[in-house]
Amino acid sequence: MLTADSLFQIDLELKKYPESQKRSAVMSALRIAQSELGWLSQDTIKFVAGYLGLMPMAVYEVATFYNMYDLAPRGKYKLTVCTNLPCALSGGEDALDYLKRKLSISIGEVTADGRFSLHEGECMGACGYAPVVLVNNHSMCRNMTPQAIDSMLAEFD
Amino acid sequence: MLEIEIDGKKLTVPDGSTVMEAAEAVGTYIPHFCYHKKLSVAANCRMCLVQVEKAPKPLPACATPVTDGMRVFTKSDLAVKAQQGVMEFLLINHPLDCPICDQGGECQLQDLAVGYGDVDSRFSEVKRVVPNKDLGPLISTDMTRCIHCTRCVRFSEEIAGAQEIGMAGRGEHSEVMSFIGLTVDSEISGNVIDLCPVGALTSKPFRYQARSWELSRRKGVSPHDGLGSNLILQTKGGRVVRVLPRENESINECWISDRDRFSYEALMSSERLLTPELTIGGQVVSTSWDSALSKVAEEIKGTIEKFGADSIGVVASPNSTVEELYLINKLFGGGLGVRAINTFGRMSDYRLVSESEGVRWLGQSISELRQSDLFMIVGSDLRMESPLLAQQIRQSVKRGAELCVLSPSSSKQLCRSVERIVRPDELLSSLVSIAHSVVVKIGKSVPAVLQLAGLLADDDPMVEAIAKVAGRGGRISILLGEQVENSPQALEIAKVASLFAEAISAEFGWSFASANKVGAQLLTVDSADPTFSRQRKMLIGFGVDLCADSPNAQLMSHQVRAADALVLFSPFKPLSHVAPFSASLPVAPFSETGGSYINIEGVVQAFNGAVRCAGDARPGWKVLRVLGNLLSIPGFDYQSVEDVRRAALGDLEKLSSSTLNNSIDVEDVRINEKHNALIRVGDVPIYQSDAVVRRSHSLQETKLAGCSRLARMNSKTLSSLMINHGDNVLVSQGGAEFSIVAEEDDTLPDFAVALPAVIDGCGVLGELYGPISVKKNM
Amino acid sequence: MTVYTKGVVFDGVDFDDPDCWKLDRYVKRGGYAALRKIIEGSISQDSVIAEVKLSALRGRGGAGFPTGLKWSFMPRQFPGQKYLVCNTDEGEPGTFKDKDIIELNPHALIEGMIIAGYAMGISVGYNYIHGEIFQDYRRFEAALQEARDAGLLGENILGSGFSFQLYAHHGYGAYICGEETALLESLEGKKGQPRFKPPFPASFGLYGKPTTINNTETFASVPFIIREGGQKFLELGKPNNGGTKLFSISGHVSRPGNYEVPMGMPFAELLALAGGMRDGGKLKAVIPGGSSAPVLPAQIMMDVTMDYDSISKAGSMLGSGAVIVMDESVCMVKALRRLSYFYYEESCGQCTPCREGTGWLYRIVDRIERGEGSLGDLDLLESLGKNIAGRTICALGDAAVMPVQGMLKHFRDEFLFHIENKRCLVH
Ligand SMILES: Cc1cc2nc3c(=O)[nH]c(=O)nc-3n(C[C@H](O)[C@H](O)[C@H](O)COP(=O)(O)O)c2cc1C
Ligand code: SF4
Ligand code: FES
């Protein structure tokens, strides 16, 4: 189900924890699986459960508790904008509005071509760099003025 | 010990007690939802907030440890306001439609809400609606009612041993559920119904059958396994409509298995036999008891006159009551001189009966068993045989005990364990090797018998585990299960186990999967030929399905087909009437008769009938009494079931230690040659264990029931037979064939085929743990 | 963005140098000298803890608990594994200092944790890193590798016989995991649901073993304290409020960013450092310690000094040191609506009052904001707040209530205006 490289990465994560505490690697395993497959399907969750020797429900609880796991397919580029108060004071909501208009989708939707999906995020711990847009969960773009957003979008294939 | 004062009442409690436990000790009720004495403390419902002197905030009684000199106020203004506040939050999203809720009348939320008055008025938003979940055929859901106490979640992980139920999502969006597409398949899942304080999880079979206030409660005892779980049978209109646990800390704690909880469905099934039926000359006629019993008496008399008492064979279920078994033995054995009386279920090695010095039993009390530091389970799929005993062992393991399992099929105990899976015919040699190695390792002298097989590798995990505990003088319990009980080498295995136990100062005993195996042993008169090796003219069955409940269905179906007369005492219609003379006599099931069972620890548990007999059914002891009289056997004039019990047991409440005795009187043990022919692993599927369970509709719908209709083999066996997973295969024993789907199961040993003891159409199969052949069905 | 330092955590860091985070740069500015000092001078565990006590370092994660005291709770003699955990799950709206620490000066944290491990006899540590800052998680792993390669981390550190393993654990988006026991559950691979205390982590922590948890900034302050002495650290700040503190300044200021300044700096001075109000706006209110601290209006704020005691006297909390600055253009109802939404979304869901109450609070504030509130709603908010605060397992319940109480205390008029006129006072 996952590539050898992903499994290798999961194995590296497993090394961080005591032998009897494989469960500790579940968050990274889900992250790695999601990075490879784009989202977490039921089968992926079952696979991760099997790989770590856990009940599927135990993994599902984790997958549904943390915001950044995607339990449904999303755009090739998942754009998450922080709109929490500190960011909102410095243009967070404007950035979200701008993206909504630009991509013609609302929060939670995917563009017709499947390239973008738009999400509202909670505090990313980067309020000083507002507005911030998180791309595919792992890459944070700071000071996202409309011009910065335009050039970010232009860079995506 | 700590001193504490609760609402002015002083008491001392042991160190480590919580305020909730202290309050319970003085009979002070503190409202609560998430707290349950058998589950970990979650402290999430916040209903149990109380005032503690010097604490700035109200504290949850369930989680707050008692400190010395603590003063607690459970009904002070601060406490009550806090509780009211919590109640308001619980109710804002809870539907307030108790009249249509299945839990109405027995809902803890409803009960407590009454005490907290009108609380809905401040919430003017739309209430949350949560979609229901499919948890399988036993548990019905109404998830909008869930108050997120997580009792069911904690039960599934902590008690049932596998987290099948969880709470997904976060915050207000949290939902209690099973993993999408999976049902809850635990053999003790129904307990979540009792645990759920509201109507979110209710019994599917019981759904909308009755309101709690319409129900009468009667005490009962489980008729399905040797633990003897205490039950409450709830009845309405003369029918059992629900079964609940009756708390007994020393036996079943506060749980019951799903088998005990849902088997009552069979009691009202259309398969109940409601009047005596005779088949004479191919014609089935319903008749009165008088005529049926006198015909049966005549037939018995005639058979004995013509062919002698040895031409009759009697099979009585080991789930029969003490009283029934006593009268069966007295009537047929003592009275008529019949020697072929089998009350031992699927046992095939009758030397075990003749060579046992006493009544085989658990070897200790259940509470003592729980204290073990190491359990060695030999030949048992314990979760399926005795779900709650397995559960108790799991709890002990959680507290630090070790578990070793030696079995022909992986028992998946759902806890840490060292397993050794061997072919059924290698159970004995493996046990000898393990015993030999352990005794050597701890430096004790090795009895000769234990030297019959070689030593295992020095780092063998099971040997190491046992030697470690034995070496430090820990308490070890060796438990033999049904796979030994039903093995052709039961005697040798038992002997070796007892020698091993003696050598390492362990406890040694049996865990039976029948409700009254102990009683059956106690009451059985010497049985010369219980295995029916000879064809009988007349077969008499009591509480059994003759083929399904026999150690060798193939032999039994030959017997049945060739018999001249069949007499079946059963709550259920027989499958077919085949003999020239057939009688089907409706005797009462466990719910309709008084009686008693003796559990594996030798405790006698008596019960009364919960409801009147269905149709013309009659309690077995009364039927036997009449038959005894009709056959002019003296001493059949009992007035009551208690009279019969007194005759059988005297005033015993627990069998004496001189009666209960696991010693085996045999010196010579031989180990069979190793061979590689295919062998059958014929375990009894949990929901085929007896005639009642077999007819319980909902249990038959469960995954556990379904997954047994397969021939399972490991991948090595499959490939050597050139069979693929999912192929249709023909299995045969003794020349008869049977077609079934093959499934890969790598928990099985090489060249073994797991094929359940009871399975539709499987009457053609023979020995449970005997040779078998399997080939692809072209 | 700006990072400004008067030097403890970011002592000597050249922020213009893209490699400022690297080991060689850190060593050049005196890094790992504290660790060497301990190891080469065979300084006892007790002396290390005494030094931290002397410094009056207080936990930088929000609660301000004295760090030296916390370290002394660790049962050092406990046989078997003990754990050290760093809390870099910075998710409190307004806070972004820990992120900068692991991005720009990760070795200060690593060194601080090794010293803490040494002081408490702990051989394994984890740093739990906030989900959204994956790049910084990677950066931290790179720094760990540098330290391992240099023999500063791992088996037999600097030949001392002391071993300490440190790993990074990446979160994936849950504010509640900043709460220390939720963090532990999450580290164990479960949902991040806080545990009831007692037992406290010092006796029953990660995997049920004794565990000490501190915030990133707390640990990163330790090398300075050991190197320069606790006294010197203390003197940087005020009595009982030792050292410098990182303030994350966001909102309507000209130069948002992290400012590491001595404890006790007047707020006005800090505001000036951050370039004053943006676009000449007028200060309306400040949330001085992260979103869960009660808001303070301008006139009160201009009189406080930035330390635990002064802000607490003014009716709020220093918390994590997140300073959210708002000018007159801000509608307080709308601001509260956004904060209440946050707590509603981030409640872990186990405690009844928090699970049910945070959503209720949000819905009431929301309807007031939309002009659909009624007069009774303000009393209802206050009453619900009382039923939530102090009645839950963790402090998120309180955190959700405090902004509501703060707003109603200082800006009740604005809420009344919304209700009575069905429109905003500001816009
Ligand atoms: C809801 C909640 C969120 C918290 N978030 C954080 C956080 O993001 N970072 C942090 O260091 N501490 C956070 N804390 C505080 C921690 O529980 C804990 O007190 C702290 O990590 C201890 O470290 P310290 O003593 O060094 O401050 C939070 C507490 C609560 C109740
Ligand atoms: S107060 Fe809220 S966040 Fe904290 S434990 Fe309870 S439900 Fe979870
Ligand atoms: S019973 Fe104590 S919090 Fe639920």
Side-chain angles (χ1 to χ4, degrees), chain B residues 119-148:
Chain B
V119 273
D120 189 39
S121 55
R122 302 207 292 174
F123 187 71
S124 51
E125 325 296 322
V126 181
K127 285 190 185 241
R128 174 172 64 220
V129 175
V130 184
N132 289 334
K133 313 288 182 293
D134 177 11
L135 301 185
L138 305 179
I139 305 165
S140 178
T141 67
D142 201 342
M143 295 321 291
T144 299
R145 302 184 190 280
C146 169
I147 57 166
H148 304 85

Side-chain angles (χ1 to χ4, degrees), chain B residues 46 93 122 125 167, chain C residues 191 356 363 367 383 391:
Chain B
R46 318 305 287 174
N93 276 310
R122 302 207 292 174
E125 325 296 322
M167 191 155 89
Chain C
K191 294 184 290 181
E356 306 293 340
R363 288 180 176 91
R367 75 175 175 237
S383 153
R391 310 253 167 104

Side-chain angles (χ1 to χ4, degrees), chain B residues 20 31-35 42-48 60-63:
Chain B
M20 182 72 85
H32 60 268
F33 296 108
C34 67
Y35 169 77
N44 59 28
C45 77
R46 318 305 287 174
M47 192 63 211
C48 67
C62 66

Side-chain angles (χ1 to χ4, degrees), chain A residues 74-79 103 105 109-118 135-136 152-157:
Chain A
R74 33 90 166 165
K76 178 173 180 201
Y77 297 101
K78 176 190 182 191
L79 307 179
L103 301 172
I105 50 174
E109 291 181 347
V110 187
T111 51
D113 60 5
R115 289 178 74 226
F116 297 101
S117 58
L118 200 51
V135 181
N136 285 346
M152 172 187 79
L153 293 181
E155 270 179 38
F156 295 143
D157 52 38

